[in-house]
Amino acid sequence: MAAPHPHGTGDWWRSAVIYQVYPRSFADGDGDGTGDLAGVRARLPHLAELGVDALWFTPWYLSPLVDGGYDVADYRTVDPAFGTLAEAEKLIAEARELGIGVIVDIVPNHVSDRHAWFRAALAAGPGSPERELFHFRPGRGEHGELPPNTWPSQFSGPTWTRVEDGEWYLHLFTPEQPDLNWAHPAVRQEHEDVLRFWFERGVAGVRIDSAALLAKDPALADFTEGVDPHPYIDQDELHDIYRSWRAVADEYGAVFVGEVWLPDAERFARYLRPDELHTAFNFAFLACPWEPGRLRRTIDATLAEHAPVGAPATWVLCNHDVTRTVTRYGRADTAFDFATKAFGTPTDIALGTRRARAAALLTLALPGSVYLYQGEELGLPEADIPLDRIQDPMHFRSGGTDPGRDGCRVPLPWTADAPHAGFGPGPGAPWLPQPDGWAAYAADRQAADPGSMLTLYRRALRLRRTTRGFGDGPLTWLPAPDGVLAFTRPGGLTCVVNLAPEPVRLPAHDTVLLTSGPLDEDGRLPGDTAVWLRSGSRVEED
Ligand code: NOJ
């Protein structure tokens, strides 16, 4: 059995900074234009220097990559585009040497249509035990030509696809991602085995994809939004599944983070009961606009919903599915919403960057753990992908109205003066085009610039590691003028974020630890700027 995670106490995850690696776009080790594990291994020093506690890898398993790897053909094999299982094992061990844990991504709701189980189900035909692992049904209508029910898709477009023998199968995402039948014991057994497979290889945790979607109404009855109870989101059966998973994880000292998008705080918190998942992503914070009242309410609601179950909050500003932070914060509407994504939304990147810098200090000072998406530390904007290069199925399934998620998945710039901004060593062009000016964001250039986003993140993460008061624990709001968020943490840390246009005086303090931008000539905190102070109690308006 693998040893418990090396971060000293078993509670490392309650305060951790976890960096999300999208392997296809992180760094290309072999020069073919696709990121890979060799690229990640070569860049581990960047991650150690940044000062993160763990890496969450989006799926690296064998996959046709129809949905960026969330269509898994075999959980026990690394996709050759990314490397080999032996390389993944080396990467896990090398990261661990640097004090960095590895979190893998498990996608239990569905598999790829190339997965052995689905191939066997197709071959075996209607009524076979192989088909029972999925949701196969005859169609409706005189000739079975209509789908079995009216369930909505998670990706727009149909949720059922008909196969040659006339049966239909359910897929909440693309047709290449058939949903598994979680009422079947073999499905449960297989996933517990997969968890063990990766825990045995020393991973520190597992991110659970679409964690609230697995269980389905067994009747597969029709659904009308607003009329019927939801047939597949947040079904009660899920808790039993996660209690079993938790028992497996506890054998290894490993932790879970669930992808649980639920508007109901009480329902959300159920997943975080002490014998279920350790943590879940905080999507309310990710979607929250850059507005002081909304942010404060979201922070308070987050802390209130976690408190009764004793779970730490997580704080997330972006990930591989959503608009990059500097672009979102530079728009007129600074909230994130899948429903309003559109081509050509104007943005002011300088303003968005200023706010993203302030948001970084806010986020890193809040109680709990923080997720950082690759490229966030470089302040990368969302890229406009030329129409003929878009790959994301979300774009195609929307009928072309949704730009899709490729704009936040563009291969990272590492070296300003190298071809393709140093993404890889060879001539291979990156799998998604890098926009003009990408080299200006290169890590090597930013490392040498004291005013860069990378320098800000490095300093912030170092302080967060070495100063008392960060991470898990209480937060106390301080009185502050309109538009200003100010709070203290135990040990005398104060964070002040000015979201108003006018500068404000800093509260009494001993030391300015870090600012997201320069103070003005009178030592006041300008708008869209944040500061970390030691001690202090009030924020005064000028
Ligand atoms: C959530 C993942 O983050 C997203 O990228 C994926 O498309 C869906 N789940 C389906 O697996």
Side-chain angles (χ1 to χ4, degrees):
M1 183 189 298
H5 195 265
H7 290 104
T9 79
D11 275 355
W12 65 274
W13 50 276
R14 297 187 71 93
S15 303
V17 176
I18 298 161
Y19 183 98
Q20 180 189 351
V21 179
Y22 192 78
R24 207 176 179 187
S25 300
F26 182 74
D28 174 13
D30 63 9
D32 66 355
T34 293
D36 48 36
L37 301 191
V40 180
R41 290 174 64 202
R43 296 291 179 185
L44 282 175
H46 169 84
L47 298 165
E49 174 73 30
L50 184 57
V52 298
D53 300 296
L55 306 175
W56 151 35
F57 286 87
T58 59
W60 58 28
Y61 321 105
L62 188 69
S63 167
L65 294 176
V66 169
D67 183 21
Y70 285 94
D71 45 322
V72 178
D74 181 355
Y75 276 108
R76 297 173 181 84
T77 304
V78 170
D79 196 281
F82 299 142
T84 61
L85 181 59
E87 239 175 328
E89 288 169 346
K90 279 194 197 136
L91 170 53
I92 294 165
E94 288 163 359
R96 181 183 279 242
E97 283 293 304
L98 295 167
I100 298 175
V102 165
I103 294 176
V104 293
D105 207 324
I106 297 291
V107 190
N109 181 67
H110 44 266
V111 290
S112 161
D113 63 348
R114 312 305 297 264
H115 190 285
W117 279 9
F118 193 71
R119 314 293 296 167
L122 285 184
S128 62
E130 288 84 350
R131 288 213 172 172
E132 286 170 16
L133 298 171
F134 299 90
H135 299 284
F136 276 92
R137 291 289 184 282
R140 297 199 288 200
E142 204 183 330
H143 306 289
E145 72 282 10
L146 298 173
N149 70 25
T150 56
W151 286 7
S153 166
Q154 292 294 296
F155 262 5
S156 63
T159 42
W160 293 90
T161 290
R162 198 173 193 190
V163 300
E164 270 179 14
D165 54 48
E167 279 206 323
W168 297 71
Y169 67 90
L170 177 72
H171 51 85
L172 297 184
F173 295 90
T174 71
E176 293 84 0
Q177 294 165 294
D179 277 45
L180 287 165
N181 173 13
W182 272 88
H184 198 298
V187 171
R188 287 184 66 151
Q189 185 58 53
E190 166 66 0
H191 281 80
E192 291 181 19
D193 289 352
V194 167
L195 291 177
R196 284 182 196 283
F197 180 88
W198 288 103
F199 292 153
E200 290 289 343
R201 281 161 181 78
V203 306
V206 163
R207 180 258 187 194
I208 308 170
D209 186 71
S210 304
L213 305 184
L214 281 46
K216 313 288 187 305
D217 163 22
L220 299 184
D222 272 345
F223 169 69
T224 308
E225 185 86 53
V227 175
D228 303 307
H230 205 285
Y232 65 75
I233 295 179
D234 187 32
Q235 306 294 297
D236 288 338
E237 296 86 321
L238 285 169
H239 299 286
D240 187 48
I241 295 170
Y242 293 134
R243 275 192 289 271
S244 307
W245 285 32
R246 177 61 179 258
V248 177
D250 282 349
E251 288 176 37
Y252 295 87
V255 299
F256 291 118
V257 55
E259 189 204 16
V260 182
W261 294 81
L262 284 184
D264 182 317
E266 191 274 327
R267 297 290 306 184
F268 173 85
R270 283 164 171 252
Y271 291 83
L272 302 176
R273 290 178 289 197
D275 59 347
E276 297 193 36
L277 308 183
H278 302 74
T279 55
F281 291 119
N282 183 350
F283 291 114
F285 187 71
L286 176 150
C288 187
W290 184 247
E291 290 169 21
R294 296 281 295 276
L295 279 168
R296 179 159 171 171
R297 282 199 295 283
T298 304
I299 292 166
D300 281 339
T302 299
L303 297 176
E305 78 198 20
H306 284 74
V309 286
T314 65
W315 305 100
V316 196
L317 291 172
C318 72
N319 65 30
H320 65 295
D321 291 330
V322 306
T323 309
R324 280 202 177 270
T325 317
V326 303
T327 302
R328 172 163 70 93
Y329 280 160
R331 291 177 172 167
D333 178 1
T334 52
F336 176 77
D337 187 345
F338 281 111
T340 56
K341 283 188 79 183
F343 284 98
T345 311
T347 183
D348 174 343
I349 293 295
L351 176 65
T353 301
R354 190 179 167 87
R355 291 173 169 171
R357 293 173 66 93
L361 295 202
L362 167 65
T363 305
L364 289 165
L366 290 169
S369 65
V370 173
Y371 281 81
L372 188 58
Y373 174 48
Q374 68 178 38
E376 209 174 343
E377 82 281 22
L378 303 177
L380 295 183
E382 185 83 2
D384 290 326
I385 307 295
L387 272 184
D388 62 347
R389 299 292 304 273
I390 293 183
Q391 307 220 4
D392 183 16
M394 248 185 150
H395 165 71
F396 300 110
R397 286 175 64 86
S398 74
T401 56
D402 180 337
R405 301 164 295 178
D406 294 327
C408 67
R409 299 174 175 181
V410 173
L412 295 193
W414 290 99
T415 313
D417 296 329
H420 309 302
F423 177 61
W431 70 279
L432 275 178
Q434 297 166 313
D436 291 344
W438 210 233
Y441 293 97
D444 69 334
R445 191 164 285 181
Q446 294 205 36
D449 173 1
S452 71
M453 187 71 97
L454 180 58
T455 301
L456 178 72
Y457 266 104
R458 284 182 174 173
R459 286 187 181 146
L461 265 55
R462 188 170 307 123
L463 281 166
R464 196 179 185 278
R465 264 198 323 277
T466 55
T467 316
R468 270 191 311 143
F470 287 98
D472 200 19
L475 165 154
T476 309
W477 292 105
L478 296 174
D482 280 356
V484 177
L485 299 176
F487 57 88
T488 56
R489 305 293 320 277
L493 171 75
T494 298
C495 176
V496 186
V497 189
N498 183 6
L499 293 99
E502 294 306 314
V504 290
R505 282 221 187 89
L506 299 182
H509 60 274
D510 297 330
T511 322
V512 173
L513 291 174
L514 188 60
T515 61
S516 68
L519 299 177
D520 75 3
E521 57 283 4
D522 300 320
R524 296 172 307 174
L525 186 68
D528 291 321
T529 308
V531 63
W532 287 351
L533 305 168
R534 287 225 72 79
S535 75
S537 57
R538 278 185 61 80
V539 184
E540 288 162 19
E541 202 164 12
D542 200 49

